[in-house]
Amino acid sequence: MDRLELINQGFGVGAVEADELNGLTLAYIGDAVYELCVRLYMSTHGSRQVNRLHKHVTAAVNAAAQSELYHLIEPMLTPEEMLIFKRGRNSKTVTAAKNQKITDYRRATGVEALVGWLYLKDRTARIMELLSYGLPRLQENQADPEETMS
């Protein structure tokens, strides 16, 4: 039994139909999955103190970084994945982006929706394919948070 089935069974619910969820619900799930993936990636790529690790994770888990990630992985997306990204990006949000450009915020919502959809479709290998390509490149393009936050 895979992790998603174990979670569903533990909560006594059936499989979630990812195709029926709206973009913001997919993004809500994807936000958690994305942050977990980033935390795992950062913790396995260089030994850091937890405080420094948190700064590196925070630098990758924000609208501007996720927008940049989208540009890195966009050529890899299938037509179906692009539709899911657009469903998230084009969702009407109630809250405004804090200290972020609205375009970055919307792209970030699209990336999170895509990650949430892939997770609920049990396509974790595809999430890892996209993120293992994008995260190292994203990190190369970003300033070191240790230097900018000191």
Side-chain angles (χ1 to χ4, degrees), residues 74-138:
E74 178 186 17
M76 301 172 66
L77 299 181
T78 67
E80 183 180 34
E81 291 167 344
M82 186 58 79
L83 287 173
I84 299 301
F85 165 81
K86 288 178 180 178
R87 185 191 316 173
R89 182 197 64 193
N90 297 338
S91 295
K92 301 293 182 227
T93 57
V94 179
T95 59
K98 296 180 205 164
N99 305 317
Q100 302 287 331
K101 295 178 191 170
I102 191 67
T103 53
D104 286 346
Y105 184 76
R106 290 207 169 128
R107 272 190 221 105
T109 303
V111 168
E112 291 170 347
L114 175 60
V115 170
W117 181 81
L118 289 169
Y119 179 79
L120 292 172
K121 296 293 257 181
D122 199 23
R123 297 182 187 170
T124 308
R126 180 62 173 155
I127 296 170
M128 296 316 304
E129 181 181 351
L130 294 170
L131 295 185
S132 65
Y133 175 83
L135 287 176
R137 286 159 182 81
L138 180 64

Side-chain angles (χ1 to χ4, degrees), residues 32 38 63 102 147:
V38 171
I102 191 67
E147 293 172 10

